[in-house]
Amino acid sequence: MDKTVPPGAAILLDFIRETEVGRSDRASYDVIYGHNQSKLPQPLTTMTYGEVVDAQKGWSKRFRSSAAGGYQFMRATLIDLAKQVTSISGKDVFTPDLQDQLAYKLLLRRGYAEFIVGKITLIEFAENLAKEWASFPVLAATKVSEREIRRGQSYYAGDGLNKALVKPEKVEAVLKDVLEAARRPHEPVEPEARPVPLPVPKPKPKPVRKSGRFWTWLLTAGGTIVTGLKELNLVALDWRVQIAILVIIVGFAVYAITSMPAVRGALGLK
């Protein structure tokens, strides 16, 4: 059943398919009048909407009716629905979902919305269904044109083609179930929970004493000072020049060492 069809209507549509074609499974959507679907060049549900309507032209003469699909849509009905439902295209495939959507439109035409809110009675709604689907009986005696139709008869009884295929008591029971399902509050479908990604732990900084970079810079700075004193003969320079050079070397070394995360963490710096 198409997911856009409400629960109560879905129960009724399954019942209509079973009554009209004798089954409510996936194969029910490929049935044509008189179960002559095996005589078609391809399954009904693989044909487009336009192809079905075109093919129905010859079915009335060949099979005595143009009824097609799980809900036995007449050719005139499909043409009329295509005019009213602008989202339908002749190129749309006549799938089970499309047939469900079209049949639900017919339910609405026949007063489904009014029935579930109590604006029309169960008997009135059943008569409306019998007008749409000839296999359904009326639930109370009624007069059609000049003919008297008794409870349990098809609305089209006496035309030599149609008759009721289900007992009126069964229709009453199903419509009560439909009414109960339609009025029952339905919980919204909760979206599927997505896994929450776990936070990635930050790597712990190494202690300063275990940092190879710290000792490298420390030894480099010390070695640079010793080398400078030895190679550049700094002792021969003015003492103020010596101090300036040593300050630059030591300052560079201190900057390099204190830029290390481990050292900054140890010193409480951000």
Side-chain angles (χ1 to χ4, degrees):
M1 179 61 61
D2 182 78
K3 293 181 179 180
T4 62
V5 176
I11 293 173
L12 181 52
L13 290 182
D14 281 340
F15 179 62
I16 290 172
R17 262 192 352 274
E18 185 172 2
T19 303
E20 282 286 307
V21 302
R23 58 196 307 169
S24 59
D25 58 3
R26 171 61 177 76
S28 65
Y29 294 93
D30 282 307
V31 176
I32 67 170
Y33 183 81
H35 292 268
N36 288 299
Q37 57 271 15
S38 61
K39 299 176 183 178
L40 300 181
Q42 67 184 93
L44 197 67
T45 52
T46 66
M47 299 168 65
T48 65
Y49 197 96
E51 288 172 340
V52 172
V53 172
D54 288 342
Q56 284 177 307
K57 290 180 183 179
W59 292 356
S60 294
K61 183 177 181 180
R62 185 181 178 188
F63 305 126
R64 295 202 305 158
S65 173
S66 64
Y71 305 99
Q72 296 292 276
F73 297 104
M74 304 297 289
R75 184 170 187 267
T77 301
L78 289 181
I79 292 173
D80 190 42
L81 283 170
K83 291 178 181 178
Q84 294 190 4
V85 186
T86 56
S87 59
I88 294 176
S89 165
K91 295 182 180 179
D92 291 336
V93 180
F94 204 55
T95 61
D97 280 352
L98 180 57
Q99 293 185 40
D100 291 338
Q101 294 166 24
L102 294 172
Y104 180 53
K105 295 292 184 184
L106 294 182
L107 287 186
L108 293 175
R109 278 188 184 183
R110 294 300 183 176
Y112 175 78
E114 291 77 11
F115 168 60
I116 63 175
V117 297
K119 288 186 177 181
I120 62 175
T121 67
L122 187 147
I123 292 177
E124 290 172 325
F125 183 51
E127 182 175 322
N128 291 345
L129 294 177
K131 292 176 182 178
E132 188 68 51
W133 286 284
S135 62
F136 272 56
V138 296
L139 301 184
T142 185
K143 189 173 184 180
V144 181
S145 297
E146 298 301 321
R147 293 179 291 118
E148 291 289 339
I149 305 299
R150 300 189 307 275
R151 168 182 162 87
Q153 285 187 306
S154 168
Y155 186 83
Y156 301 98
D159 65 355
L161 186 64
N162 294 295
K163 63 179 181 179
L165 300 178
V166 63
K167 297 293 184 181
E169 293 79 12
K170 179 62 176 178
V171 174
E172 288 170 337
V174 170
L175 290 183
K176 289 177 182 178
D177 289 342
V178 168
L179 198 58
E180 181 182 352
R183 293 178 175 178
R184 185 188 308 131
H186 297 279
E187 296 182 1
V189 179
E190 297 182 359
E192 185 177 351
R194 297 182 178 179
V196 178
L198 297 175
V200 180
K202 296 181 179 180
K204 295 182 179 180
K206 293 181 180 180
V208 176
R209 66 179 183 274
K210 293 185 179 181
S211 174
R213 182 181 171 189
F214 169 77
W215 292 109
T216 299
W217 277 107
L218 186 62
L219 295 175
T220 300
T224 301
I225 295 173
V226 173
T227 302
L229 292 173
K230 181 178 179 181
E231 298 295 334
L232 300 177
N233 197 19
L234 296 179
V235 293
L237 300 175
D238 183 76
W239 65 273
R240 285 168 291 192
V241 177
Q242 295 179 27
I243 291 175
I245 294 173
L246 290 175
V247 168
I248 292 172
I249 294 173
V250 172
F252 178 73
V254 170
Y255 169 76
I257 292 172
T258 56
S259 66
M260 297 167 53
V263 174
R264 296 181 68 83
L267 297 175
L269 301 174
K270 293 182 180 180

